[in-house]
Amino acid sequence: MPTDTPQPAFVLVRPQMGENIGAAARAMWNFGLDRMRLVAPRDGWPNPKAVAMASGAGRLLDEAQLTADVAEAVADCHFVMATTARARGLTKPVFSPERAMQVAAERIAAGERVAVLFGPERAGLENEDIAKANAIINVPVNPDFPSLNLAQCVLLTGYEWRRAQGAITPERVDMARADWAEQIEIEKLADHYEARLSEAGFFFPEHKAEGMRLNLRNMWSRMPLTRADVQTLHGVLRQMVRWKDRGD
């Protein structure tokens, strides 16, 4: 059975190749989507080539709803969006994929059912299909090569759905079993380097010494150091001093 997670239905309209249906299922499941609807697949249904391509997402194919036309596929929906890379001469709201999935999330949170139409591989959705939609999702592709593979378009839209759920962290650091150094540890590292550099005559000429020390302190504070980093830098300096002493 489909998950209970509120989400849009992805409607593949007259898909031509079983492989692309399977790849679309895989792309959907990558982003936690499992409501697939199929409108008149060219090669019939079920299709063993779709199952082979789904690679672990075969459950979506088993539970996919098969319909004869777009009207039947979206009959229970309150809001429908149609993906297309081309202007169609139809007066409709046009969303970027990002905004479209934000709108979908808002409407679904309000209790509405939302569907997204994806056209067949060769030519995309027909105007008759798009006329049944409330809005268009326009993918900002290269105008000289606007054709998107079906599964690619599903993947892109699924990713934006995931983003709209706040499930993607824009930036993070994988700590790999490390801890960030505390300020006292960085302060001691700065003291260590300053002392050894002073002994080596680094802070010269004298009238520039204060500014040089300040720049070094500022450099340490900008560096995101782990405790292991601090220990390594202490070790580097100790070994350089030992090496110098042996050379004497």
Side-chain angles (χ1 to χ4, degrees), residues 186-208:
I186 296 174
E187 186 71 18
K188 289 180 178 179
L189 178 67
D191 289 342
H192 187 189
Y193 270 75
E194 192 170 312
R196 293 293 175 262
L197 289 170
S198 183
E199 291 172 5
F202 176 78
F203 299 110
F204 180 86
E206 183 63 30
H207 69 276
K208 293 185 178 181

Side-chain angles (χ1 to χ4, degrees), residues 15-142:
Q16 296 172 322
M17 299 176 63
E19 292 89 342
N20 280 335
I21 299 172
R26 181 175 181 178
M28 288 175 63
W29 193 229
N30 280 149
F31 297 106
L33 292 159
D34 61 2
R35 312 288 165 78
M36 176 181 279
R37 301 181 183 185
L38 299 173
V39 177
R42 183 192 65 182
D43 296 337
W45 195 256
N47 188 319
K49 292 181 179 179
V51 176
M53 195 68 182
S55 185
R59 178 178 68 79
L60 274 71
L61 303 178
D62 295 337
E63 297 163 357
Q65 297 180 25
L66 181 64
T67 64
D69 54 38
V70 171
E72 181 185 352
V74 302
D76 64 335
C77 295
H78 302 94
F79 195 79
V80 178
M81 291 181 276
T83 59
T84 178
R86 302 190 303 274
R88 297 294 189 139
L90 299 173
T91 301
K92 289 185 185 293
V94 179
F95 300 136
S96 68
E98 178 181 17
R99 179 56 184 156
M101 291 302 96
Q102 291 170 353
V103 170
E106 292 164 3
R107 288 181 171 272
I108 290 170
E112 296 185 23
R113 286 183 292 277
V114 175
V116 182
L117 305 179
F118 298 88
E121 297 89 324
R122 179 166 297 179
L125 294 168
E126 300 290 340
N127 277 6
E128 290 76 7
D129 304 319
I130 298 172
K132 294 179 175 66
N134 303 102
I136 288 172
I137 302 175
N138 191 234
V139 181
V141 294
N142 176 3

